[in-house]
């Protein structure tokens, strides 16, 4: 199980990477390696529209795979700045590169301090059984 230390993690197997600083502070959000492995081969990803406002815990993405369909919830409140258009054409990149090209969306968080409320890599590895 691949758990990069510099990321933060949610209980529904989402990851968050901080990008930028100050007014330009954004967070990139994706599905963990463990989460994509649980799902199996991803066939479709439904993402929110750019400009959407999400509260922490709101449905952020539906991911359909051969084994199951899963919902991923927003780890933080914020505005969706961009979504990964690559997933519309090649959703399987979520399996092959979940921490790289398989990212889901960029959020402008309402309060970036809430990133620290998420699990660090060691806590997530324990949570996921690794």
């Amino acid at each position: 199980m691949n758990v990069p230390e510099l990321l933060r993690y949610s209980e529904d197997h989402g990851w968050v990477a901080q990008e930028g600083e100050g007014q330009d502070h954004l967070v990139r959000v994706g599905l963990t390696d463990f989460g994509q492995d649980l799902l199996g081969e991803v066939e479709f990803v439904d993402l929110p529209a750019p400009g959407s406002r999400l509260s922490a815990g709101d449905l952020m993405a539906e991911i359909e795979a051969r084994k199951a369909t899963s919902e991923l919830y927003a780890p933080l409140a914020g505005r969706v700045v961009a979504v990964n258009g690559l997933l519309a054409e090649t959703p399987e990149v979520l399996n092959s590169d979940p921490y790289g090209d398989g990212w889901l969306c960029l959020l402008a968080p309402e309060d970036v301090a809430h990133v620290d409320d998420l699990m660090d890599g060691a806590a997530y590895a324990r949570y996921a059984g690794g």
Side-chain angles (χ1 to χ4, degrees), residues 10 12 29 31 44-50 52-64 69-80 83 104-105 107:
S10 65
D12 64 340
V29 181
L31 180 69
F44 178 76
V45 180
D46 185 26
L47 298 171
S52 301
R53 293 207 173 272
L54 300 172
S55 295
D58 283 356
L59 179 63
M60 185 182 71
E62 287 186 317
I63 303 165
E64 294 180 20
T69 296
S70 183
E71 297 175 336
L72 189 65
Y73 300 94
L76 305 165
R79 181 178 47 84
V80 177
V83 296
L104 299 173
C105 64
L107 291 178

Side-chain angles (χ1 to χ4, degrees), residues 23-67:
Q23 264 186 316
D24 296 325
H25 196 100
L26 298 174
V27 294
R28 189 173 301 269
V29 181
L31 180 69
T32 65
D33 182 48
F34 181 78
Q36 68 79 26
D37 192 49
L38 286 174
L39 283 174
E41 188 177 332
V42 174
E43 297 177 335
F44 178 76
V45 180
D46 185 26
L47 298 171
S52 301
R53 293 207 173 272
L54 300 172
S55 295
D58 283 356
L59 179 63
M60 185 182 71
E62 287 186 317
I63 303 165
E64 294 180 20
R66 288 194 177 174
K67 289 183 185 178

Side-chain angles (χ1 to χ4, degrees), residues 63-126:
I63 303 165
E64 294 180 20
R66 288 194 177 174
K67 289 183 185 178
T69 296
S70 183
E71 297 175 336
L72 189 65
Y73 300 94
L76 305 165
R79 181 178 47 84
V80 177
V81 174
V83 296
N84 187 351
L86 178 65
L87 296 177
E89 297 174 21
T90 54
E92 63 274 8
V93 77
L94 192 55
N95 296 115
S96 62
D97 193 11
Y99 299 116
D101 288 340
W103 62 276
L104 299 173
C105 64
L106 282 173
L107 291 178
E110 287 180 8
D111 186 349
V112 74
H114 289 294
V115 170
D116 292 334
D117 297 337
L118 299 170
M119 289 181 273
D120 64 17
Y124 178 71
R126 286 190 304 276

